């Protein structure tokens, strides 16, 4: 009887596995189809010898809005760099003890920016697009900084009190809702576009959770040969302790983010000084491959540009609508200050931390890394620079980056879950459990659709976000103009 029960149980198990395989196949087809729409070729530009420069819809959209906001704000990312630093370092008492300070909002957004995109994303960009992809990541950051200002300022303007966690909440779902009410000239219970943005974000962050789990277990296995099941159980358990507690996220990020980013930056400076004579060659390689005749003639220039911009977006999130979810939670006396803080966050992420990862890999002789890709490439590079300590260090840093990314995106999810389902903690908890499951699943194996799902989610978020921030840009400009006037008056008073 017991043997019959075991046979029955085994058959049920096989059936479940087969059903899951079919469902996953359907899921893959849908994800890759959608990824092809947003990240596939939209425009082909002939570059000679029968080759073309292939540009995707998302690349064109991001570059276009970055240029547009740069012009409209009169190059805020350049002329207000001093204001960004001043705002980030000023001290201000919060009016609501449970709200985030401007600095804490920057820490939360930096937790996800300075996370998996800085390691896995940069490695992926250089593996596929070569050194030239780094240049296009820089361009994405420069243009994206203006986009970050606009969306963060709007998020701060339309923030709402948060009855579940205290303080404030908001983001694209909320300012999209306000925009659609203005367009329709009537009150709305829910905006369809805002709901679609929120759903896209929640799907994207589930995809990112899988990327986090997979990258960590791969790196730990490569370094210590620890089976993925053990690594992911530990990661999920620690993450669950943080995210399932009501207000532990920001407290943990306040500690983890500065330490991990600071250590990674200092180690990179050591590596750069150690290889200072090779640094000019790295810059030559980055710029030559970014516009290289060899890449253009070989048809690879499109891959260089596309990978640089795609991974730049995945890393700094500017224009996608993620970071505004943290910006809205800040207790700020002027929305423009929050916008400037988030602009600075883009620079910290891409121009500093992403560049660190790139230099670590590009300062290694090509024959050392061979045809390696993924996290194995970064670990091999660190092993070359620092010996056994290097590969161990990057594994630990990856673990911390992944951990901060995961709990950071769950902070983003709060306001979007609340917008769709209302102010009930049960819905918050359900989404957290789903994300923890995705983290666990991602850690058990490499799923080819994981990166694609994240890219599709970001693309959808960007599209819905742009629908609102382009026409609402003038509101950010009015806020910026008022802030600039107040700064001038303050300077006169000081004199």
């Amino acid at each position: 009887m017991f043997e019959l029960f075991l046979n029955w149980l085994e058959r049920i198990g096989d059936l479940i596995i087969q059903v899951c395989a079919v469902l996953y196949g359907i899921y893959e087809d849908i994800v890759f189809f959608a990824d092809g729409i947003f990240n596939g070729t939209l425009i082909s530009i002939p570059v000679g010898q029968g080759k073309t420069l292939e540009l995707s819809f998302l690349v064109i959209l991001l570059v276009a809005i970055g240029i547009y906001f740069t012009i409209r704000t009169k190059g805020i990312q350049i002329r207000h760099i001093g204001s960004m630093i001043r705002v980030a370092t000023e001290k201000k008492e919060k009016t609501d003890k449970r709200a985030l300070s401007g600095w804490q909002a920057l820490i939360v957004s930096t937790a996800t920016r300075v996370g998996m995109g800085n390691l896995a994303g940069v490695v992926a960009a250089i593996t596929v697009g070569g050194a030239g992809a780094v240049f296009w990541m820089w361009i994405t950051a420069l243009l994206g900084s203006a986009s970050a200002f606009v969306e963060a300022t709007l998020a701060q303007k339309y923030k709402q009190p948060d009855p579940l966690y205290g303080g404030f909440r908001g983001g694209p779902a909320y300012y999209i809702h306000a925009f659609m009410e203005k367009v329709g000239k009537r009150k709305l219970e829910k905006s369809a576009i805002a709901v679609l943005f929120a759903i896209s974000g929640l799907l994207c962050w589930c995809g990112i959770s899988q990327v986090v789990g997979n990258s960590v277990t791969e790196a730990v296995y490569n370094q210590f040969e620890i089976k993925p099941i053990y690594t992911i159980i530990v990661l999920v358990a620690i993450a669950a302790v943080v995210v399932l507690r009501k207000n532990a996220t920001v407290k943990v990020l306040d500690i983890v983010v500065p330490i991990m980013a600071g250590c990674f930056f200092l180690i990179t400076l050591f590596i750069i000084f150690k290889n200072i004579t090779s640094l000019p060659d790295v810059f030559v390689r980055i710029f030559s491959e970014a516009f290289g005749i060899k890449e253009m003639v070989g048809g690879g220039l499109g891959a260089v540009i596309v990978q640089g911009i795609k991974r730049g977006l995945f890393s700094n999130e500017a224009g996608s609508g993620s970071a505004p979810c943290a910006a809205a939670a800040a207790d700020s006396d002027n929305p423009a200050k929050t916008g400037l803080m988030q602009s600075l966050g883009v620079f910290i992420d891409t121009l500093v931390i992403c560049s660190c990862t790139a230099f670590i890999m590009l300062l290694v002789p090509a024959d050392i890394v061979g045809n390696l890709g993924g996290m194995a490439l970064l670990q091999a590079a660190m092993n070359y620079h620092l010996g056994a300590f290097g590969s161990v260090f990057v594994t630990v840093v990856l673990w911390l980056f992944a951990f901060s990314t995961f709990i950071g995106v769950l902070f983003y999810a709060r306001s979007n879950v609340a917008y769709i389902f209302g102010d009930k903690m049960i819905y918050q908890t359900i989404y957290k459990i789903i994300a923890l499951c995705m983290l666990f699943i991602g850690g058990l194996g490499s799923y080819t659709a994981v990166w694609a799902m994240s890219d599709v989610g970001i693309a959808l978020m960007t599209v819905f976000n742009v629908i609102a921030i382009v026409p609402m840009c003038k509101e950010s400009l009015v806020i910026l103009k008022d802030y600039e006037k107040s700064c001038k008056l303050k300077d006169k008073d000081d004199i």
Side-chain angles (χ1 to χ4, degrees):
M1 189 72 175
F2 182 68
E3 187 175 346
L4 288 174
F5 173 75
L6 288 179
N7 288 335
W8 177 82
L9 196 62
E10 187 175 343
R11 289 180 182 178
I12 292 295
D14 289 340
L15 180 61
I16 292 173
I17 291 173
Q18 291 174 14
V19 171
C20 288
V22 171
L23 291 175
Y24 182 74
I26 296 172
Y27 156 78
E28 270 195 324
D29 291 341
I30 295 172
V31 167
F32 285 126
F33 175 75
D35 189 46
I37 293 174
F38 293 111
N39 297 307
T41 303
L42 179 65
I43 296 176
S44 296
I45 303 173
V47 293
Q49 298 191 14
K51 304 297 183 179
T52 58
L53 171 60
E54 299 177 342
L55 301 177
S56 69
F57 169 78
L58 189 60
V59 166
I60 295 170
L61 178 64
L62 287 171
V63 171
I65 65 169
I67 293 172
Y68 175 74
F69 289 139
T70 297
I71 294 172
R72 291 297 304 274
T73 60
K74 299 178 182 179
I76 189 173
Q77 63 270 63
I78 302 298
R79 64 189 183 88
H80 270 301
I81 187 68
S83 299
M84 294 177 193
I85 297 172
R86 184 171 63 251
V87 168
T89 54
E90 73 176 10
K91 293 182 179 180
K92 178 183 175 296
E93 292 296 324
K94 295 183 289 183
T95 57
D96 186 331
K97 292 182 179 180
R98 294 178 299 177
L100 273 63
S101 66
W103 174 254
Q104 286 175 317
L106 177 62
I107 287 292
V108 172
S109 60
T110 302
T112 54
R113 286 182 176 133
V114 182
M116 293 306 301
N118 299 86
L119 296 179
V122 176
V123 171
I126 293 177
T127 299
V128 179
V134 177
F135 172 82
W136 296 105
M137 290 183 74
W138 291 341
I139 295 299
T140 302
L142 189 62
L143 296 176
S145 186
S147 303
F149 171 82
V150 172
E151 62 183 3
T153 303
L154 290 172
Q156 182 65 202
K157 178 180 178 179
Y158 290 100
K159 68 184 180 184
Q160 298 179 357
D162 189 343
L164 293 178
Y165 295 94
F168 304 99
R169 71 181 181 203
Y174 294 82
Y175 58 68
I176 290 172
H177 182 102
F179 173 68
M180 296 311 296
E181 284 188 336
K182 289 181 181 179
V183 171
K185 297 180 179 179
R186 62 188 180 90
K187 285 288 183 181
L188 297 172
E189 184 177 346
K190 290 282 190 296
S191 162
I193 296 178
V195 169
L196 288 172
F197 171 86
I199 292 173
S200 300
L202 297 179
L203 289 173
C204 172
W205 297 323
C206 278
I208 290 176
S209 299
Q210 287 185 289
V211 172
V212 165
N214 183 248
S215 298
V216 170
T217 54
E218 178 190 349
V220 172
Y221 181 78
N222 289 340
Q223 179 61 40
F224 304 110
E225 295 188 355
I226 297 175
K227 292 182 178 180
I229 185 65
Y230 302 129
T231 302
I232 201 61
I233 285 175
V234 173
L235 180 61
V236 169
I238 296 175
V241 169
V242 176
V243 301
L244 293 178
R245 293 180 63 189
K246 190 173 181 180
N247 285 310
T249 297
V250 177
K251 294 177 182 178
V252 171
L253 292 179
D254 272 346
I255 299 171
V256 173
V257 173
I259 291 175
M260 71 177 188
C263 290
F264 189 60
F265 181 63
L266 290 175
I267 285 290
T268 304
L269 285 180
F270 172 76
I271 292 172
I272 288 173
F273 284 125
K274 181 182 174 184
N275 299 274
I276 194 70
T277 56
S278 301
L279 194 59
D281 293 335
V282 170
F283 279 104
V284 168
R285 184 180 169 191
I286 289 173
F287 286 103
S288 64
E289 290 187 21
F291 301 98
I293 299 299
K294 180 180 72 173
E295 287 72 24
M296 186 176 292
V297 172
L301 184 59
V304 174
I305 296 174
V306 170
Q307 283 300 315
I309 294 178
K310 276 178 64 177
R311 295 306 159 203
L313 169 64
F314 189 89
S315 177
N316 65 53
E317 304 174 347
S320 71
S322 290
C325 298
D331 185 4
S332 176
D333 60 352
N334 192 310
K337 290 185 177 181
T338 303
L340 291 169
M341 290 276 276
Q342 294 302 320
S343 292
L344 179 64
V346 173
F347 284 126
I348 293 172
D349 167 80
T350 307
L351 297 184
V352 179
I353 306 300
C354 281
S355 297
C356 287
T357 305
F359 288 143
I360 287 171
M361 290 189 291
L362 296 176
L363 283 169
V364 179
D367 60 321
I368 299 294
V369 294
N371 294 321
L372 290 176
M375 295 313 299
L377 170 59
L378 182 57
Q379 286 176 307
M382 288 296 285
N383 189 67
Y384 169 79
H385 291 303
L386 302 173
F389 168 77
S391 53
V392 173
F393 173 80
V394 79
T395 302
V396 173
V397 167
L398 172 66
W399 200 96
L400 291 174
F401 275 32
F403 179 71
S404 70
T405 296
F406 180 74
I407 62 177
V409 297
L410 284 187
F411 183 92
Y412 289 167
R414 289 180 180 182
S415 58
N416 294 278
V417 171
Y419 183 81
I420 297 172
F421 300 107
D423 296 321
K424 292 185 179 180
M425 189 60 74
I426 182 63
Y427 296 119
Q428 300 281 334
T429 303
I430 289 173
Y431 182 76
K432 291 174 183 178
I433 292 173
I434 292 172
L436 287 166
C437 290
M438 293 298 102
L439 179 67
F440 182 79
I441 292 170
L444 294 181
S446 178
Y447 299 96
T448 55
V450 168
W451 274 105
M453 180 180 175
S454 301
D455 288 338
V456 169
I458 290 177
L460 288 170
M461 290 168 65
T462 304
V463 169
F464 297 129
N465 190 39
V466 167
I467 289 173
I469 62 175
V470 170
M472 296 179 80
C473 174
K474 55 187 177 183
E475 296 184 35
S476 296
L477 297 177
V478 170
I479 293 171
L480 175 61
K481 189 174 291 186
D482 290 341
Y483 172 73
E484 290 172 336
K485 286 181 180 178
S486 67
C487 288
K488 289 179 181 179
L489 290 174
K490 185 178 178 180
D491 292 341
K492 287 182 179 179
D493 291 339
D494 292 339
I495 294 174

